[in-house]
Amino acid sequence: MSSLLVLAIVVAIGVVAFLIGRQRAAAHENGTVKPHSRAHYHGWWAFLLAVLPALLLLAVWNIGSSFYLDRHIHAVLPERTADSKVASEALDVSLVKSLARGLRQLDGNTALPATFAELQPLLAAKGVALASDTQDYMIPIAVETNKVQGMLGWFGAVVTLALSIAGALYALRQIAPRARARNSVETLMLWGLLAASTIAILTTIGIVLSMLFQTITFFESVSPISFFFGTVWDPRFADAGSGGSRGQFGLIPLLAGTLYIAAVALLVAVPIGLMSAVYMAEYASAKVRGVVKPALELLAGIPTIVYGIFAVVTLGPFLRDLSAALTGGSPFIQGQSIFTAGLVMGVMLIPVVSSLSDDIITAVPRAMRDGSLGLGATRSETIKRVILPAALPGIVGAILLTASRAIGETMIVVLAAGVAANLTVNPFEAMTTITVKIVNQLT
């Protein structure tokens, strides 16, 4: 039985328990005894007891079943020898599991052939594509894996449904006028919120630890001094045909490109976005604001790939041809350059600065404006000396958020600035960023 079907049945049991619990609690409200909790709290308590323990058991059972299947496949695989056709035992297990999933797509009455060459057309007819490294001896192992998985699935489903029914019956038996169902539901919700926040914290810790371990492994092969102070990024890998020659992993070109392109983008986005926010908050009428603000925020909904295509197809060639016309010869602005990427990225980031700054400026108390104007200050003086200083912490936060978005941008840089890890101070030449190189190396 599939986990999705078990989940649907458990939720259905919970809904039935909720309806019965609410009805029984309402029946106890006869006016003789003041109830501690309202009827719907009893219903929710029955629902939670019917659903939550069963779902936790189902999750733990699925995880444990997965580990058990892996160990079972490891146990029945033949011993590896020097002439094994599959590269590793982990790949063996992965191929067996893929084959088992494919076999589940076949009809139960289909006679399985003894060789993978004969089985592959049957799987292909069902739309199942398997790796060519799959071996003949994996077929009976995959069949046995499906049997074990089926038995585990049925047993887990029966236990989960039994626990769900038991939880519902236990909650329904507790219904009484003075039963503290509200306290129980609120306590359980409090623990749920605590668990959600804990998961967020543990996820962050997991990301940091995974990156830390990978960093330690990396620095076991590459010197930290050459990485942090090297000026050449030229990684080479033996599997990529480098002949085993040692690569150069200098971070400075990538770091300089990241900061350079982000700085150009901020020079475009921050002044325009901040001035537009001041205009919308202090000068624009309600009708103009209702048109300008949605039009600016519309830029935030455009995918970054569209900005990148605009840069590489339209803006980059235009700037290159314009520079060639100005010099009367060879252009001094390349088709892919820091200036092009920063300009397009700055246009993309204008809505971030504008929208956040507008909300922050609008939140400044009206009394501060009226007090400044009442003392004889002009509107521009009020903006410069009262409103902007009061909104400065929020504006700085908006700029930092914009900077983080600029540093993490990838697609615009790939198309508008290229992937060459150059080290230059000329904004009209090509550079690249750390994120671009991460994508480039991983793909």
Side-chain angles (χ1 to χ4, degrees), residues 34 40 58 92 100 167 174 183 216 259 340 370 389 407 419 431 442-443:
K34 182 180 179 180
H40 67 274
L58 182 63
D92 269 335
Q174 285 186 322
N183 295 355
I216 293 173
L259 298 178
T340 303
D370 295 339
I407 291 173
V419 296
M431 290 185 76
L442 292 179
T443 56

Side-chain angles (χ1 to χ4, degrees), residues 49 56 61 69 75 103 130 182 189 206 273 294 309 326 337 386 388 391 393 405 408 417 423 432:
L49 283 188
L56 289 176
W61 185 267
L69 283 176
L103 293 179
L130 296 177
R182 183 189 65 194
M189 293 304 298
I309 293 175
L326 293 175
S337 65
V386 177
L388 290 182
R405 177 77 183 275
L423 184 59
T432 194

Side-chain angles (χ1 to χ4, degrees), residues 43 64 67 80 85 95 108 132 187 210 254 264 276 279 284-285 304 339 377 401 403 430 441:
F67 281 111
R80 299 190 59 77
K85 296 183 179 181
L95 292 175
S132 59
T187 301
S210 65
L254 305 182
V264 175
S276 63
Y279 169 75
S285 62
T304 56
F339 180 73
L401 181 61
Q441 299 300 148

Side-chain angles (χ1 to χ4, degrees), residues 70-96 99 133-142 144-145:
D70 287 346
R71 295 179 64 86
H72 174 75
I73 295 173
H74 275 288
V76 298
L77 281 174
E79 294 185 3
R80 299 190 59 77
T81 59
D83 57 348
S84 297
K85 296 183 179 181
V86 183
S88 65
E89 189 172 359
L91 182 58
D92 269 335
V93 175
S94 177
L95 292 175
V96 170
L99 180 58
D133 292 337
T134 307
Q135 304 299 315
D136 297 340
Y137 67 84
M138 296 180 181
I139 297 178
I141 299 177
E144 179 66 21
T145 300

Side-chain angles (χ1 to χ4, degrees), residues 217-416:
T217 304
F218 174 76
F219 284 129
E220 289 177 353
S221 303
V222 178
S223 171
I225 296 178
S226 64
F227 176 73
F228 287 109
F229 300 101
T231 58
V232 178
W233 178 267
D234 184 24
R236 297 180 183 181
F237 305 96
D239 292 341
S242 66
S245 59
R246 189 175 182 85
Q248 301 181 68
F249 299 87
L251 179 65
I252 289 182
L254 305 182
L255 183 61
T258 302
L259 298 178
Y260 205 162
I261 295 174
V264 175
L266 291 177
L267 288 176
V268 175
V270 172
I272 298 176
L274 188 56
M275 287 188 289
S276 63
V278 171
Y279 169 75
M280 288 188 296
E282 299 297 326
Y283 292 100
S285 62
K287 184 179 295 185
V288 174
R289 177 186 171 87
V291 175
V292 174
K293 189 174 176 65
L296 271 176
E297 294 182 346
L298 183 63
L299 294 175
I302 300 176
T304 56
I305 183 64
V306 177
Y307 284 105
I309 293 175
F310 169 75
V312 74
V313 173
T314 304
L315 186 60
F318 170 76
L319 294 176
R320 180 194 60 203
D321 297 341
L322 179 62
S323 64
L326 293 175
T327 59
S330 60
F332 61 87
I333 300 179
Q334 298 182 10
Q336 289 182 320
S337 65
I338 302 168
F339 180 73
T340 303
L343 184 61
V344 175
M345 194 187 303
V347 173
M348 181 196 70
L349 295 175
I350 287 174
V352 180
V353 183
S354 175
S355 180
L356 293 176
S357 300
D358 175 64
D359 295 337
I360 294 163
I361 293 172
T362 306
V364 174
R366 185 69 191 177
M368 298 180 67
R369 295 177 173 84
D370 295 339
S372 177
L373 296 174
L375 292 174
T378 63
R379 178 173 289 186
S380 61
E381 290 174 339
T382 300
I383 293 173
K384 288 186 296 183
R385 299 183 180 182
V386 177
I387 296 176
L388 290 182
L392 185 60
I395 293 174
V396 171
I399 295 174
L400 291 177
L401 181 61
T402 306
S404 65
R405 177 77 183 275
I407 291 173
E409 179 55 41
T410 303
M411 189 55 63
I412 293 177
V413 181
V414 170
L415 298 177

